């Protein structure tokens, strides 16, 4: 493994460990992407979900239901895991100076008292507020 990959994997592990078990405090879809805001003991994070975002829920929320899944349903759900969807990790941008990282193909599991959600995201960005 070269030094860039090693540094990237270390950074990814640190960010992932910080976000696990923390709740989404708010969401924003006004720009066309899904922004998830998470406050941890150390930082305020923004998780940017771009490209194709697939969301599944347990129990299922159907599109034809008058209460179809809306982004605000994700608020107050805690992150159970956030990891690459595939074994081969495809990083596409790391900017350590601005504390921004983006990665292709990520899966996030969110847990709450009544629902759990699984998000599969084509393009995911992590930044600090």
């Amino acid at each position: 493994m070269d030094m860039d990959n090693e540094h990237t994997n270390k950074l990814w592990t640190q960010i992932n460990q910080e976000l696990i078990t923390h709740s989404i405090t708010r969401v924003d879809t006004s720009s066309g992407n899904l922004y998830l805001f998470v406050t941890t003991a150390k930082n305020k994070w923004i998780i940017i979900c771009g490209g194709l975002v697939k969301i599944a829920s347990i129990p299922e929320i159907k599109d034809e239901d008058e209460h179809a899944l809306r982004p605000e349903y994700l608020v107050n759900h805690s992150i159970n895991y956030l990891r690459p969807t595939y074994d081969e990790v495809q990083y596409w941008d790391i900017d350590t100076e601005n504390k921004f990282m983006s990665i292709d193909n990520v899966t996030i599991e969110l847990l709450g008292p009544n629902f759990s959600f699984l998000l599969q995201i084509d393009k995911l960005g992590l930044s600090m507020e």
Side-chain angles (χ1 to χ4, degrees), residues 44-58:
K44 291 183 177 183
W45 289 93
I46 304 170
I47 301 172
I48 305 138
C49 306
L52 181 63
V53 178
K54 296 178 185 176
I55 303 175
S57 67
I58 298 174

Side-chain angles (χ1 to χ4, degrees), residues 1-15:
M1 180 183 305
D2 63 28
M3 289 304 286
D4 284 341
N5 267 350
E6 189 174 321
H7 177 72
T8 300
N9 285 326
K10 184 177 179 182
L11 182 61
W12 172 253
T13 299
Q14 289 172 343
I15 292 170

Side-chain angles (χ1 to χ4, degrees), residues 20 22 46 69 98 127:
I20 298 303
H22 290 86
I46 304 170
L69 178 60
N98 294 313
S127 187

Side-chain angles (χ1 to χ4, degrees), residues 41-98:
K42 294 180 182 179
N43 299 296
K44 291 183 177 183
W45 289 93
I46 304 170
I47 301 172
I48 305 138
C49 306
L52 181 63
V53 178
K54 296 178 185 176
I55 303 175
S57 67
I58 298 174
E60 183 180 6
I61 300 173
K62 298 184 179 179
D63 288 341
E64 61 271 4
D65 186 346
E66 68 179 70
H67 303 291
L69 178 60
R70 293 191 281 285
E72 57 268 20
Y73 287 178
L74 305 177
V75 173
N76 294 324
H77 282 74
S78 61
I79 298 174
N80 187 44
Y81 67 77
L82 183 147
R83 63 177 174 230
T85 301
Y86 307 111
D87 288 339
E88 187 171 318
V89 179
Q90 299 171 356
Y91 295 100
W92 51 276
D93 188 23
I94 298 167
D95 182 348
T96 51
E97 184 177 326
N98 294 313

Side-chain angles (χ1 to χ4, degrees), residues 15 25 50 98 101 103:
I15 292 170
T25 56
N98 294 313
M101 180 179 200
I103 183 173

